[in-house]
Amino acid sequence: MQIGQFITEMETTKETVRYYIDEQLLTPEKVQGKYKFTKVEQSDFKSIRELRNMGLPIKIIKQIKENKEYCGTKKQWKSNLDMIDTELSRVDLELKKLNEERSALLTVRKELIKKL
């Protein structure tokens, strides 16, 4: 299928697909200057979407894809676990910062309510 049909079926944008191609997350064959998407690209796209929905950045998704050659091995599982642990640490730091921001906003809110 061509890019237009792929975009429709995957409910995405041309920009997103081109970005994933540029990042080598999708590798459709090029036939007569046009990309040809198969079930492989559909499956890859769905996997990318799932990982993005977990909040994983492209950098990590690329690493996961690179580890695919070790699929089902302890090496892959260890590598993926390390990446997930790193991301969990990042998320924990973000949550801490957001909680601090929330606390500050709640303090200001209380002060404003007192003035009303």
Side-chain angles (χ1 to χ4, degrees):
M1 81 180 73
Q2 291 185 349
I3 195 166
Q5 183 180 352
F6 183 81
I7 288 166
T8 300
E9 289 189 19
M10 295 294 105
E11 298 178 347
T12 189
T13 65
K14 192 176 213 175
E15 291 77 17
T16 297
V17 173
R18 290 198 184 278
Y19 177 70
Y20 291 165
I21 291 170
D22 290 345
E23 292 295 322
Q24 298 177 337
L25 291 171
L26 292 177
T27 54
E29 182 182 356
K30 218 170 190 182
V31 179
Q32 296 178 347
K34 295 184 179 186
Y35 289 112
K36 182 181 177 187
F37 295 85
T38 65
K39 291 187 186 296
V40 171
E41 285 78 33
Q42 287 177 311
S43 175
D44 287 348
F45 186 87
K46 289 175 184 175
S47 295
I48 295 165
R49 181 175 278 160
E50 285 177 25
L51 295 168
R52 291 292 293 147
N53 287 341
M54 285 184 228
L56 295 178
I58 296 298
K59 176 183 168 186
I60 298 294
I61 296 171
K62 286 172 78 169
Q63 289 176 315
I64 289 170
K65 184 172 180 173
E66 288 170 11
N67 287 336
K68 211 172 188 179
E69 70 179 86
Y70 304 109
C71 192
T73 66
K74 286 185 179 184
K75 181 176 183 172
Q76 180 203 25
W77 299 332
K78 173 76 170 101
S79 177
N80 287 352
L81 180 61
D82 290 345
M83 286 184 275
I84 296 298
D85 285 344
T86 299
E87 281 304 297
L88 283 170
S89 294
R90 181 190 62 78
V91 167
D92 287 342
L93 286 173
E94 257 183 66
L95 284 172
K96 181 181 177 191
K97 182 181 175 192
L98 287 171
N99 281 326
E100 289 169 358
E101 289 174 12
R102 184 176 195 279
S103 179
L105 287 168
L106 286 172
T107 300
V108 170
R109 183 178 187 272
K110 283 180 186 177
E111 290 173 14
L112 289 170
I113 289 173
K114 285 180 186 177
K115 292 180 179 184
L116 290 176

